[in-house]
């Protein structure tokens, strides 16, 4: 499968790692939208988007949410943070390997849409 984030997990495309375990990988976004902008992904290509999450493949999504506080702490986000998952064209999803944006490092705008 020709997937950018699968290539990042395999190391074919280099990335700046923040956290990794056997299920998930977190790395700095190449085009940060905030002082800290981390992407968190399942290592396995279990879903292209949120629409593909099922009871069978959701364990790594649960793992992502369990680890977000730890990843935020590693990144020094003591003041708080925002987690975003873009799904589909109206949300401007550009990479079809499910991922969660972890944003922080400043007081973020209250406007999302
Ligand atoms: P989306 O718009 O699909 O929710 O988010 C995709 C994100 O992937 C964007 O924020 C974009 O900057 C990031 N991105 C795209 N290509 C690369 C890359 O090669 N390396 C890294 N680290 N991030 C990337
Ligand atoms: Zn993938």
């Amino acid at each position: 499968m020709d997937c950018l984030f699968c290539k990042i997990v395999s190391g074919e495309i280099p990335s700046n790692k923040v956290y990794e375990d056997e299920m998930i990988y977190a790395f700095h976004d190449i085009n940060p939208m905030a002082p800290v902008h981390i992407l968190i992904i399942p290592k396995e290509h279990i879903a292209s988007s949120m629409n593909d999450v099922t009871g069978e493949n959701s364990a790594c999504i649960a793992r992502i949410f369990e680890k977000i506080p730890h990843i935020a702490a590693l990144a020094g986000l003591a003041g708080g943070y925002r987690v975003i998952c873009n799904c589909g064209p109206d949300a401007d999803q550009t990479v079809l390997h499910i991922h969660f944006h972890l944003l922080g490092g400043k007081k973020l705008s209250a406007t999302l849409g």
Side-chain angles (χ1 to χ4, degrees), residues 11 57 79 99 102 104 109:
N57 67 21
H99 54 279
L102 173 63
S109 158

Side-chain angles (χ1 to χ4, degrees), residues 9-22:
V9 170
S10 74
E12 190 182 332
I13 293 175
S15 62
N16 190 354
K17 177 170 88 172
V18 179
Y19 172 84
E20 133 172 74
D21 62 29
E22 79 283 7

Side-chain angles (χ1 to χ4, degrees), residues 21-84:
D21 62 29
E22 79 283 7
M23 277 187 167
I24 70 172
Y25 186 67
F27 56 103
H28 289 284
D29 196 292
I30 204 167
N31 182 25
M33 303 281 196
V36 175
H37 185 169
I38 293 168
L39 297 171
I40 312 170
I41 66 177
K43 283 185 166 175
E44 226 182 286
H45 192 113
I46 53 121
S48 296
S49 80
M50 191 72 97
N51 285 340
D52 299 332
V53 175
T54 68
E56 277 68 51
N57 67 21
S58 60
C60 57
I61 305 300
R63 175 68 67 85
I64 286 171
F65 278 84
E66 285 165 30
K67 290 297 175 186
I68 280 173
H70 176 62
I71 296 166
L74 288 175
L77 298 179
Y81 52 84
R82 180 172 290 157
V83 177
I84 292 175

Side-chain angles (χ1 to χ4, degrees), residues 1 3-7 43-47 96-98:
M1 191 188 307
C3 170
L4 176 69
F5 286 175
C6 285
K7 288 178 180 166
K43 283 185 166 175
E44 226 182 286
H45 192 113
I46 53 121
L96 296 179
H97 177 134
I98 191 169

